[in-house]
Amino acid sequence: MTEVLDGLRDLQPVFRERAQEAEDRRVLSAESIKSLEETGFFRLLQPKLFGGLEADPMDFYTGVRIISSACGSTGWVSSVVGVHPWQLALFPAQAQQDVWGSDINTRMSSSYAPTGKAQPVEGGFRLSGKWSFSSGCDHATWVLLGGMVFGEDGKPVDFRTFLVPAPDYEIKDVWNTVGLRGTGSNDIIVQDAFVPEYRSLSINDTAKCACPGHEVNGGALYKLPWGSIFPYAISIPVVGMAYGAYDAHVAHQRERVRVAYLGQKSAEDPFAQVRVAEASSELDAAWLQLEHNMGELMQHANAGTKVPMSVRLRVRRDQVRATGRAINAIDRLFENSGARVLASGTPIQRFWRDAHAGRVHAINDPERALSMFGQGEFGVPFTDAWV
């Protein structure tokens, strides 16, 4: 996978140059998506059965960090869209054939909050509703949508992810935000679309790591918990943005002169030096925990052993802590950068806004994940499937 990561590093200057354009246009350029596709990035988590690389997940997440440290919006879309091949590999084989059978580079966007309704019918479901925050949807021709399945009595009987092709949904342009402006995270509208049974996946199956796709994709990569893989894809872009802000801050401080201190260079300010050290430590600690935990998950997957719930809870604990550490670091850097970084177009303020926008995603909610960990430690039952 070295070639893929080297290709992403070569693209960093391009993504930095396009960051303001993406923000102004509120969507990534087709050129940026195409260049990512050409590196093989989107196929890192895709099964070999359909031309994928079935890479170690940390290769994928390292790629996300590389991209995000150049442009937050590009990193966010890359991560979210890039993790979807892993989830599709859990669907029945026919669903995978529908998406990749004629083009292995077909992409999917998503919106998992169960804001729509699915009514069981013969052979599948009738799906309707509105879903928000579908990042990268303009560069996808399928979408993964979360929805509650309701029985004849009107009560929910299941929570499933539905795979829907572009002709069956509409994209509504609503994305006007202060952060992650370039992600094009617009609304998806579905009106009474038929979804075959095989194009859906129950959250019960993903929670148990026992999915229909395992019949054709038996590699260790696909034995990992969904509640670990997807949250990483939401946390690591924020960590990458903080690394990008760190690099931009260090470069800025090396040249900055603090007039208030009689011409003293900021690089010579001991307080500035301490803040850089604190921010650097926060980021390195976050990354080391993320690497360690994913490595432990893969050890279980490779050995064919069940991942203990204590490990799954720790993974979620450290995932939200990684986001928190990244936010702490970027805040420390931002407050130490001086008023000039407030100007539109400067990278530090963009990283600061993008990181805080990523922080508000539900997966990055620290209290929920930390509370689950505490419940596990104290032996208190919990029913959250996001673990």
Side-chain angles (χ1 to χ4, degrees), residues 1 73 92-93 114 117 148 173 189 201 234 243 248 286 296 310 312-313 326 332 356:
M1 309 310 159
S73 288
K117 292 181 63 175
M148 300 301 299
D173 187 351
I189 310 295
L201 186 66
I234 299 301
Y243 272 109
E296 187 169 345
S310 60
R312 292 168 70 158
L313 288 168
R332 200 74 167 126
H356 278 272

Side-chain angles (χ1 to χ4, degrees), residues 179-190:
L180 293 176
R181 286 181 56 82
T183 61
S185 303
N186 289 306
D187 287 354
I188 301 293
I189 310 295
V190 177

